[in-house]
Amino acid sequence: MARMRGKVDAFVLFLKPRQSGTDWEDTELRHTAAAIPGVTVLSDVDGVEARRFGAETSGHTLLFDRDGRLLFSGGITEFRGHIGDNTGARAIESLVNGHAPARTATSVFGCALADRSRKGDKALCRK
């Protein structure tokens, strides 16, 4: 976000089970995300938005143009918990700056947002 300041509006959604208490949202990761300039943090109650956009894994990142056309879908880390330069982040930066990226999709590494093998959707991990 630091290299794209003012060029994108970023929304970071955190899964929140409907029956969870207010303490569910009081996490270090959520506070860190909210402190990033240009980022709006929202709760995704019961994963409604994740399902709407086809996100099944935490860390799934989507980039849309002003007309709502999907430009990028995937992860912006090389592996779960990785921080730093990577293919997904470079692709988004290229697209935002009007350049053709090497890829428009990457693998997503993170926790499954729901266990669809059981009855009902249950988050498999919590950060």
Side-chain angles (χ1 to χ4, degrees), residues 71 87 90-104:
L71 301 176
T87 305
R90 284 191 305 272
I92 289 175
E93 190 172 353
S94 290
L95 287 160
V96 167
N97 289 315
H99 305 292
R103 300 180 66 186
T104 58

Side-chain angles (χ1 to χ4, degrees), residues 17 24-25 27 36 40 43 48 52 61 65 72 74 89 105 115 117:
W24 179 273
E25 297 175 305
T27 66
I36 299 170
T40 299
S43 294
V48 170
R52 177 178 296 162
T61 303
D65 68 10
F72 175 85
D115 181 357
S117 66

Side-chain angles (χ1 to χ4, degrees), residues 13-123:
L13 281 70
F14 284 86
L15 178 68
K16 181 184 187 308
R18 185 175 306 282
Q19 302 303 321
S20 64
T22 55
D23 62 322
W24 179 273
E25 297 175 305
D26 189 19
T27 66
E28 184 178 334
L29 184 59
R30 187 179 177 108
H31 294 295
T32 299
I36 299 170
V39 169
T40 299
V41 171
L42 302 169
S43 294
D44 183 8
V45 178
D46 287 341
V48 170
E49 296 301 322
R51 284 189 299 279
R52 177 178 296 162
F53 289 101
E56 295 182 354
T57 307
S58 65
H60 194 137
T61 303
L62 304 163
L63 177 68
F64 295 89
D65 68 10
R66 293 179 189 268
D67 297 322
R69 185 179 53 183
L70 180 63
L71 301 176
F72 175 85
S73 178
I76 55 171
T77 61
E78 295 295 334
F79 50 86
R80 188 168 184 256
H82 172 263
I83 297 173
D85 191 39
N86 59 78
T87 305
R90 284 191 305 272
I92 289 175
E93 190 172 353
S94 290
L95 287 160
V96 167
N97 289 315
H99 305 292
R103 300 180 66 186
T104 58
T106 57
S107 297
V108 183
F109 302 101
C111 295
L113 295 175
D115 181 357
R116 289 175 174 76
S117 66
R118 298 181 188 158
K119 192 165 190 140
D121 287 344
K122 296 181 180 179

